[in-house]
Amino acid sequence: MTGVQRGAGMKDQFGRRIDYLRISVTDKCNLRCTYCMPVEGLDWIDRAEFLTYEEIASVVRQMAGQGLRRIRLTGGEPLVRRDLPDLVRLLSEIPQIEDIAISTNAILLPQFGSDLRDAGASRVNVSLDTLKRERFRDLARRPERFFDATMEGIDAAERLGFSPLKINTVLLKGLNEDEVEEFAEITKKRPWHVRFIELMPTGDNLHLSERFLSTDSVLKRLRAIGDLRPAAGPVGNGPATYFQFAGAAGTVGVITPLSHNYCDRCNRMRLTADGKLRTCLFGTHEVDLRAPLRSTGDVLPAVREALRGKPERHLLQLGTARGSGGLRALSQVGG
Ligand code: SAM
Ligand code: SF4
């Protein structure tokens, strides 16, 4: 049955079980990745519009009673929101929640990583689009010392025992495509799970359309540097397809929203920093949870409405923002 049923988990009208919520805690960021955010930033959501941590926990508590099991905190850059460990602690106290992960650019992990881990976060995904210090300035549009900070953040993640460690690399033809072998080589020795992500078109990155690179061509190149075989991949909730070099410590994954969409196995919804429940990363369908939270406190009727409207698939198309439903950047909804 479609909708929210006690004990039955949350199913949408296409029979997909939704047990995973990606929560954006802020739309702001300390980087300006070229495919994600304009240098001048965006029209930021007013802080007064943000859900408080108590409100986020209330949403999760209610959805957990209906089958929600896994959480990812994202943004913008989630670690720039003050006192993030307090949110992690509130969420980890909800008995049904089995997994709390964070997507981050790693820059603030040396500062906050141990508090986040102690509060109950178990895993981090780190964005890293280049291994070349001088390139960081072009790709993340911040000085090279931010690259050093990112690498220190990755070291901190390993030292603190965040595991498995997933590295997200967005493929850009002519900008970082020459590094795919180098990224993949790392997985032979270190337990990194490097995932190559296809560029997704949004309103502010259409000028990069000709930089789109399909993961198929990357896999072909990687087969030339080793015995690359399909693999189960690390634990997680994502849409990546994994491979592994014989005897490697880590894996290589591909995330292919354009070349091979995986909407039929979608298990997720997204909560924006201002309390909109979005049923697809792209498209216009969203339901406001903040108003019911602040009136009756009961969000489940709105969650039920969202589930009913979850689209069967996204309609992304290279070169146009139409399929992204008016989104300027993924940082507005958490990626
Ligand atoms: N700041 C955190 C980070 O970078 O991991 C979390 C937010 S970021 C929006 C989440 C993920 O979305 C990152 O892995 C980023 O590389 C990816 N991303 C952002 N815009 C994208 C786009 N247009 N196409 C593909 N991936 C994108
Ligand atoms: Fe910031 Fe992440 Fe977007 Fe880069 S991808 S600008 S780190 S939100």
Side-chain angles (χ1 to χ4, degrees), residues 194-261:
V194 173
R195 294 119 50 89
F196 295 111
I197 304 178
E198 289 177 351
L199 176 72
M200 297 175 235
T202 62
D204 276 14
N205 73 16
L206 295 181
H207 61 287
L208 291 172
S209 294
E210 75 263 21
R211 302 278 183 194
F212 177 83
L213 190 65
S214 151
T215 54
D216 291 342
S217 62
V218 167
L219 286 173
K220 203 166 152 201
R221 277 168 53 185
L222 297 186
R223 287 194 183 99
I225 61 163
D227 182 8
L228 191 66
R229 300 194 179 163
V235 295
N237 317 296
T241 305
Y242 287 96
F243 301 86
Q244 191 165 37
F245 290 112
T251 62
V252 176
V254 291
I255 300 182
T256 59
L258 272 110
S259 65
H260 308 276
N261 99 59

Side-chain angles (χ1 to χ4, degrees), residues 22 26 28-31 33 35-37 73-79 102-106 125-129 167-171 195 197-202 205 208 257 281-282 328-335:
R22 295 174 64 99
T26 179
K28 299 188 187 62
C29 188
N30 41 3
L31 296 184
C33 300
Y35 48 77
C36 182
M37 212 186 262
L73 302 179
T74 176
E77 172 49 40
L79 274 64
I102 302 177
S103 285
T104 175
N105 58 32
N125 288 8
V126 174
S127 290
L128 181 69
D129 297 324
I167 305 289
N168 288 339
T169 305
V170 176
L171 292 167
R195 294 119 50 89
I197 304 178
E198 289 177 351
L199 176 72
M200 297 175 235
T202 62
N205 73 16
L208 291 172
L281 176 53
F282 297 110
R328 286 184 64 188
L330 290 199
S331 58
Q332 295 177 305
V333 291

Side-chain angles (χ1 to χ4, degrees), residues 68-259:
L68 183 68
R69 294 293 174 264
R70 292 182 280 263
I71 300 292
R72 174 170 299 279
L73 302 179
T74 176
E77 172 49 40
L79 274 64
V80 303
R81 181 149 171 193
R82 195 174 303 157
D83 300 327
L84 191 66
D86 292 350
L87 174 63
V88 173
R89 190 161 288 109
L90 283 174
L91 299 180
S92 66
E93 283 164 2
I94 300 171
Q96 299 95 329
I97 296 303
E98 296 163 0
D99 184 35
I100 302 173
I102 302 177
S103 285
T104 175
N105 58 32
I107 287 174
L108 293 171
L109 274 181
Q111 202 175 332
F112 299 119
S114 78
D115 285 348
L116 289 166
R117 186 203 52 194
D118 295 349
S122 54
R123 308 185 286 119
V124 292
N125 288 8
V126 174
S127 290
L128 181 69
D129 297 324
T130 181
L131 295 161
K132 296 187 195 305
R133 190 169 188 267
E134 64 285 1
R135 216 170 243 188
F136 200 76
R137 188 183 283 277
D138 294 331
L139 291 180
R141 294 180 298 185
R142 286 289 186 254
E144 287 160 17
R145 63 188 159 83
F146 283 73
F147 174 80
D148 304 333
T150 302
M151 299 314 281
E152 281 161 28
I154 293 175
D155 286 346
E158 287 186 308
R159 206 174 45 248
L160 291 166
F162 285 110
S163 174
L165 177 63
K166 297 181 187 170
I167 305 289
N168 288 339
T169 305
V170 176
L171 292 167
L172 295 165
K173 194 188 283 180
L175 294 179
N176 65 358
E177 68 171 308
D178 56 333
E179 297 188 53
V180 296
E181 285 88 355
E182 203 178 330
F183 269 107
E185 286 288 349
I186 294 176
T187 72
K188 291 182 180 172
K189 299 194 188 80
R190 290 172 83 164
W192 284 18
H193 302 279
V194 173
R195 294 119 50 89
F196 295 111
I197 304 178
E198 289 177 351
L199 176 72
M200 297 175 235
T202 62
D204 276 14
N205 73 16
L206 295 181
H207 61 287
L208 291 172
S209 294
E210 75 263 21
R211 302 278 183 194
F212 177 83
L213 190 65
S214 151
T215 54
D216 291 342
S217 62
V218 167
L219 286 173
K220 203 166 152 201
R221 277 168 53 185
L222 297 186
R223 287 194 183 99
I225 61 163
D227 182 8
L228 191 66
R229 300 194 179 163
V235 295
N237 317 296
T241 305
Y242 287 96
F243 301 86
Q244 191 165 37
F245 290 112
T251 62
V252 176
V254 291
I255 300 182
T256 59
L258 272 110
S259 65

